Amino acid sequence: MTTPPAYLANVRSILPMVRQSTALGRANGFSARRTLCMDCLKTAKLNKDSALALSVRRSLHSRITVQTATSGSRGFAQTTRSGSAQSHGPLAEYDARVQSGRLRDDEHQRGIIQNLEDLYQMLSSYTQPPVVQPTIESLQPEKKSFFSSLFSSKPQKGALPLIPESLPKGLYMYGDVGSGKTMLMDLFYDTLPPNIRAKTRIHFHNFMQGVHKDLHKMTIAHGNDIDAIPFVAAGIAEKSTVLCFDEFQCTDVADAMILRRLIESLMTHGVVLVTTSNRHPDDLYKNGIQRESFIPCINLLKDRLKVINLDSKTDYRRIARPASGVYHHPLDAGAKSHAERWFKFLGDFEKDPPHPATHTVWGREIEVPKASGKAAWFTFDQIIGRATGAADYLELMRNYETFIITDVPGMSHKTRDLARRFITLIDAIYESRAKLVMTTAVPLTELFMSHDELEGAVKAGQDKGDIPQASEEQGVSDVMRNLMDDLGLNMSMLKNSNLFTGDEERFAFARALSRLSEMGSQDWVERGMGLESKGGEKEKEGWNRVRSRWREDSL
C-alpha cells in the first residue's frame, strides 16, 4: 500500500512548521522526546514504503518533556508538557488494546477504567486557577508582645484558602501485586486531554524526598518558625495540573507530620491527584509513631479522592463488583456512571430488566421510577421531596433489598423537613438490613449541616469548653468523623446548631451519620450475597432468614 501523492504534498507543506516548533522547544531548554500513538503505529505498518509520512506523523505527535536533573528543586522524575491533540480517552484506548490483543477484556477492569474515563471527561473542560505564590512574610508567625507571648502556645500556621469547587475529584487506586496498578496509571497518564499541559508522574518516595529537601532549604534560609509547606506546594502546583503518584505509602513519621497540609495545599492550588497504592487509605501508616497525627490526612484522602479497589471480586451471579464504595460525591460526571454500575450489580438485569413499578400503601400509590430484581432507583426528590413518610418507607423495604438514591443535596436548617424525612428513610433502610447506594452533592460529614454551620457549631462548643480545641492538623470533618464513631462524643456541638430542636432529634442525627458510615462498609454491602469470601451460600441463607423475620415483625 503506497501513500497518495496528494497526501505527500500536504505533508511537505507542513514540515517546516513542525521543524520550527521543535527547534523553538529546544531553544527554550526542553529536550524533545517523540512518541507514536496507536493510530500512527498502525499507519506506519501499512505505509512501510513511506518514510516521509512516518516522519511527519512522529513530529506531529511529539511531546516536549521537561527532564529535571537529580539535583533539581522538586525531585520530580518527569513533568510533561503535552502538545499533542489526544483524540480519545482511557476507555477508547482500552478498547483498542483489547482489539489488538494486548489486553484481555475484563468486566471488572472495564468498570475501573470507566472511573478513569469519568475523570478524563472532567479534565477535558478543567482549567487550573492561577497559582499564587505566598510571600515569605505571610508564612512567618505573627509578632507578639512580651505579655501575650507569656500565655501563647506555639505559633499558629497560616490558614490555607479553601479548595476550589471546580477541582475535579481525583483517584486513589489500591490493590495487591498483579492487580494492574501500573497499567492503569500508564493508561490514564498517556491519554490525558490536550488542555492539561502540565502533568507529572513520579514514585511517591522520590516525591517526598524532593519535598523534604525543599523544606530544609527554606528552613536554612528563613529559620525554623516559617511555615514552608504552602510555599513548596505552590512551586509544585505551578508545574503540575495533574500529579500522579506511584505506590503511595507512609512509613516515615516525618512524612506523616506534613502530608495532610501538603496535599491540602496542592488541592487549594487546583492540582488534581491520582495515586496508586497497595493498601486502603485506612491502612496507611498502621502502627506508626504518632499515627493520630496522620488520621486527618487519611480523612482528606477519603473525602477528596475516589477510592477504588483494584482486586477483582466475583459474586455468585458472576457479575464483577464495582470497584469504588457505595457513596459518591460530588455530583460530577462520574456520579451517573457510579449509580448505573451499582444498579446493574445489585439488580437482576438478565431476569428482570429495569422498569417502573407501583406499590400501594393505605390506598395511595408509591411509584418506583426504576426497579430491577430487588433493587429500586430513586432521585432524592422522587423519594424525599414528595410527601412520603415512615409507612411508605416500610412498604418499600418489604419489596426491595437495595436502594439507589441519586442527586442528594446538602441539607441545612433551611431544609429541616427534608433532613428529618431523609433520616427516617436511613433508619428504615438500616433496620431492614437493606443496602444503600448514594450520589451526593457534599461529603457525608456535611450531609445535614453545611460547612459553615459545622464550623460555627464546633467553635461555639469549643468556646464553652464542651469540645476540645482542635489541633492545627484537625478540621471540622475530623470532629464529625469522631461523632460518627461515637454517638456520645461532642453532642454539645449539635446543641449549638440550628438544625435540630431537641435532644431526641440530635440523637437521631448522630445515629443516622453512624449508620451511614456502617452501611458504606464492604461487610455491609456484601452481606447476604453468597460471596465466597463472606461464607458463601450458608451466609446468604442466614441473611435471608433475618430479612424474613424483619418483614414479619414489620407487618
Side-chain angles (χ1 to χ4, degrees), residues 275-418:
T275 182
T276 65
S277 180
N278 61 357
R279 60 187 65 193
H280 189 278
D282 287 334
D283 296 327
L284 291 170
Y285 198 51
K286 255 192 172 178
N287 304 316
I289 301 173
Q290 299 182 31
R291 189 175 189 267
E292 64 277 3
S293 300
F294 190 68
I295 298 300
C297 180
I298 292 175
N299 293 340
L300 179 67
L301 292 172
K302 289 161 65 176
D303 279 344
R304 294 292 178 173
L305 304 181
K306 186 170 185 178
V307 180
I308 299 174
N309 184 1
L310 303 183
D311 296 326
S312 179
K313 295 183 183 295
T314 307
D315 73 347
Y316 63 96
R317 293 172 298 171
R318 303 296 178 185
I319 300 176
R321 181 188 189 278
S324 60
V326 288
Y327 305 141
H328 175 98
H329 86 276
L331 300 178
D332 53 21
K336 182 179 179 182
S337 60
H338 171 87
E340 288 173 344
R341 287 195 295 272
W342 276 106
F343 188 43
K344 181 179 180 181
F345 175 68
L346 295 168
D348 192 353
F349 280 28
E350 292 182 4
K351 297 180 180 178
D352 187 25
H355 61 277
T358 303
H359 304 275
T360 303
V361 178
W362 295 350
R364 294 184 297 104
E365 289 188 343
I366 308 173
E367 295 182 359
V368 179
K370 280 195 288 188
S372 173
K374 293 294 183 179
W377 182 335
F378 298 86
T379 65
F380 180 86
D381 186 62
Q382 288 167 340
I383 194 168
I384 300 297
R386 300 173 183 175
T388 53
D392 305 88
Y393 304 148
L394 285 174
E395 179 62 25
L396 291 172
M397 300 307 131
R398 295 188 189 104
N399 289 277
Y400 300 100
E401 298 176 359
T402 295
F403 294 86
I404 290 91
I405 303 177
T406 56
D407 304 320
V408 178
M411 287 158 271
S412 66
H413 69 280
K414 296 179 182 178
T415 54
R416 183 182 288 119
D417 290 342
L418 293 178

Side-chain angles (χ1 to χ4, degrees), residues 14-73:
I14 62 175
L15 263 177
M17 292 183 288
V18 173
R19 288 167 179 157
Q20 182 180 7
S21 175
T22 304
L24 181 63
R26 288 173 178 156
N28 283 282
F30 299 123
S31 61
R33 185 182 71 183
R34 296 174 177 177
T35 59
L36 282 174
C37 71
M38 288 191 63
D39 292 335
C40 296
L41 205 57
K42 293 177 182 177
T43 305
K45 291 178 180 178
L46 293 174
N47 296 288
K48 293 180 180 178
D49 60 331
S50 179
L52 178 61
L54 178 57
S55 173
V56 170
R57 285 184 179 273
R58 292 183 62 175
S59 299
L60 290 176
H61 287 268
S62 65
R63 295 182 302 177
I64 298 175
T65 303
V66 183
Q67 296 286 354
T68 305
T70 54
S71 59
S73 61

Side-chain angles (χ1 to χ4, degrees), residues 415-441:
T415 54
R416 183 182 288 119
D417 290 342
L418 293 178
R420 290 167 176 164
R421 205 175 298 162
F422 192 47
I423 287 173
T424 302
L425 173 63
I426 291 170
D427 287 341
I429 293 174
Y430 180 86
E431 290 164 4
S432 70
R433 301 297 188 267
K435 307 181 196 304
L436 175 63
V437 177
M438 289 195 302
T439 63
T440 63

Side-chain angles (χ1 to χ4, degrees), residues 26-208:
R26 288 173 178 156
N28 283 282
F30 299 123
S31 61
R33 185 182 71 183
R34 296 174 177 177
T35 59
L36 282 174
C37 71
M38 288 191 63
D39 292 335
C40 296
L41 205 57
K42 293 177 182 177
T43 305
K45 291 178 180 178
L46 293 174
N47 296 288
K48 293 180 180 178
D49 60 331
S50 179
L52 178 61
L54 178 57
S55 173
V56 170
R57 285 184 179 273
R58 292 183 62 175
S59 299
L60 290 176
H61 287 268
S62 65
R63 295 182 302 177
I64 298 175
T65 303
V66 183
Q67 296 286 354
T68 305
T70 54
S71 59
S73 61
R74 301 294 164 209
F76 284 171
Q78 177 180 308
T79 301
T80 302
R81 297 188 181 278
S82 175
S84 64
Q86 184 68 44
S87 60
H88 58 261
L91 204 54
E93 178 64 17
Y94 180 74
D95 287 338
R97 295 184 185 185
V98 169
Q99 292 174 4
S100 66
R102 295 168 60 192
L103 291 176
R104 179 176 60 83
D105 198 0
D106 180 85
E107 188 66 24
H108 176 76
Q109 201 167 64
R110 184 174 290 278
I112 293 170
I113 293 174
Q114 181 62 56
N115 290 289
L116 304 181
E117 180 72 20
D118 293 339
L119 181 54
Y120 169 87
Q121 296 297 336
M122 287 184 277
L123 288 171
S124 297
S125 58
Y126 176 65
T127 301
Q128 182 184 12
V131 176
V132 179
Q133 182 70 266
T135 63
I136 298 299
E137 292 75 17
S138 69
L139 302 177
Q140 293 174 334
E142 295 181 6
K143 294 182 179 180
K144 298 182 179 180
S145 66
F146 172 75
F147 292 103
S148 63
S149 64
L150 293 176
F151 305 99
S152 65
S153 58
K154 60 182 179 180
Q156 290 293 321
K157 303 296 184 183
L160 292 172
L162 293 176
I163 297 174
E165 294 183 0
S166 61
L167 180 69
K169 195 169 186 177
L171 300 174
Y172 183 105
M173 300 179 286
Y174 73 98
D176 292 332
V177 176
S179 59
K181 296 190 292 290
T182 300
M183 184 277 290
L184 290 168
M185 184 67 90
D186 286 342
L187 190 68
F188 177 75
Y189 189 81
D190 291 339
T191 59
L192 279 168
N195 58 296
I196 304 300
R197 304 194 62 80
K199 56 181 182 177
T200 297
R201 178 177 177 180
I202 185 171
H203 193 280
F204 184 70
H205 280 323
N206 295 340
F207 173 77
M208 288 307 301

